[in-house]
Amino acid sequence: MDTRTSGAVVVGVTGRGRETSALRFAVEHARREGVRVVLVHVGRVSLPTVPGLVVTPDEAIEVARRIVADVAEELEELVGGPVAHDTVAVTGIPAQVLVELSRDARLVVVQHRTSTALEHLFVGSTTNGAAARCHCPLVSVPAGWEPPPGAT
């Protein structure tokens, strides 16, 4: 059991400004439910889209830590102050990590991305891979989503 994700809203993130709609959705849900937000970035040690490019595990973790720290700042800017959150920076396959973290989570949130067929061929879909095996509900938030006026 990962105590950071127990009962939390888990958000898969890839960088500042890339999942703003998913962050908004996660914060609204977390506030309603009175739970924490957990920002997760999964660093890849081997990048399938660049043949021969291998990143060491230490490099991947360092990049992942910087990404979740940047997104945590974005989260606080979005809500206008501190918000109860944790960060998780790990290496692995994003869909598999989200599935594992979903075991004790209340909700997993990702942001929908439109990808070309070629991108899907080489990278796949984290959303589809996680949704197929997630242990809790998974929400794919469309880019541009904002909470309705007056939502809390």
Side-chain angles (χ1 to χ4, degrees), residues 3 11 14 19 34 37-38 41 43 49 59 63-64 66 71 75 78 84 87 99 101-102 114 121 128 134 146-147:
T3 56
V11 186
T14 60
E19 288 87 20
V37 172
V38 178
H41 180 77
T49 57
E59 292 169 332
V63 169
R66 282 190 303 233
V71 175
L75 179 68
L78 281 173
T87 60
V99 167
L101 293 175
S102 76
T114 51
L121 177 65
N128 290 343
C134 222
E146 293 192 22

Side-chain angles (χ1 to χ4, degrees), residues 26-134:
V27 166
E28 290 302 314
H29 188 80
R31 283 181 172 165
R32 277 194 311 272
E33 300 291 324
V35 298
R36 301 177 70 72
V37 172
V38 178
L39 306 173
V40 179
H41 180 77
V42 182
R44 288 191 160 228
V45 175
S46 138
L47 302 174
T49 57
V50 184
L53 179 61
V54 176
V55 178
T56 69
D58 288 342
E59 292 169 332
I61 285 293
E62 183 55 36
V63 169
R65 286 184 182 133
R66 282 190 303 233
I67 287 171
V68 293
D70 285 347
V71 175
E73 286 179 12
E74 178 187 8
L75 179 68
E76 291 188 358
E77 290 166 8
L78 281 173
V79 300
V83 61
H85 73 278
D86 285 309
T87 60
V88 174
V90 296
T91 59
I93 298 170
Q96 290 177 353
V97 170
L98 289 174
V99 167
E100 185 58 35
L101 293 175
S102 76
R103 288 188 188 280
D104 299 305
R106 180 175 299 261
L107 181 70
V108 172
V109 179
V110 294
Q111 186 159 315
H112 175 73
R113 264 189 198 39
T114 51
S115 303
T116 67
L118 188 59
E119 288 171 323
H120 271 291
L121 177 65
F122 285 105
V123 180
S125 168
T126 298
T127 301
N128 290 343
R133 300 183 321 275
C134 222

